[in-house]
Amino acid sequence: MSSNIQVPKICQHCGITFVARTTVTRFCSHKCSQRNYKKRAREAKVGKTLEETHEILATSSPTSETPLNKEYLSMSEVAALLGVSRWTINRMLHRGQLNMKQVGRKKIIPRSQLDAFFQ
């Protein structure tokens, strides 16, 4: 079924005026339609991520143990606390600058070691 109507419209993506052949046309071209779809998909992803972050922040308890409150820290926590990589922490352990305990396969470092290292 063909249509002979011509409806002047404004593209919802780029804002250019165009002549549409149907009353439901929203975009001036297929490219504008694709770009608008991608934009909406991107905004949906960002919105979902922000919502998840807000949920995590709302459900986390303020008394949860942070690396500053723990007596023993993992290699990753020490690296994050000092702002260095895990490899740097490994080198410090091998040089004897820090002492560690091993629990199974996990290496833990007493908080007192870090405090003593910086004094």
Side-chain angles (χ1 to χ4, degrees):
M1 178 173 188
S2 66
S3 172
N4 290 332
I5 64 171
Q6 293 184 349
V7 181
K9 291 211 168 196
I10 298 174
C11 179
Q12 290 183 0
H13 179 71
C14 65
I16 295 174
T17 58
F18 68 101
V19 177
R21 292 189 200 161
T22 66
T23 58
V24 294
T25 303
R26 296 172 41 204
F27 305 104
C28 63
S29 65
H30 184 64
K31 189 174 264 188
C32 276
S33 176
Q34 288 176 329
R35 287 179 178 167
N36 189 272
Y37 172 78
K38 280 218 176 214
K39 179 182 170 187
R40 284 184 287 131
R42 192 177 315 115
E43 288 171 355
K45 280 184 183 180
V46 170
K48 183 180 177 186
T49 303
L50 289 174
E51 185 178 302
E52 289 173 356
T53 304
H54 289 294
E55 286 178 14
I56 290 170
L57 291 175
T59 59
S60 67
S61 63
T63 59
S64 65
E65 286 195 6
T66 62
L68 297 175
N69 300 337
K70 290 172 127 181
E71 189 173 341
Y72 291 95
L73 304 170
S74 70
M75 297 273 290
S76 306
E77 291 170 336
V78 171
L81 191 62
L82 298 180
V84 296
S85 70
R86 288 179 48 228
W87 290 105
T88 302
I89 303 301
N90 265 330
R91 285 192 295 270
M92 292 171 77
L93 290 170
H94 289 302
R95 283 184 269 184
Q97 293 174 322
L98 291 175
N99 292 328
M100 62 115 185
K101 307 238 187 261
Q102 192 149 355
V103 179
R105 293 178 62 185
K106 187 169 181 129
K107 296 176 183 176
I108 57 173
I109 301 168
R111 176 66 191 196
S112 58
Q113 283 289 315
L114 288 177
D115 295 337
F117 179 73
F118 287 108
Q119 298 209 357

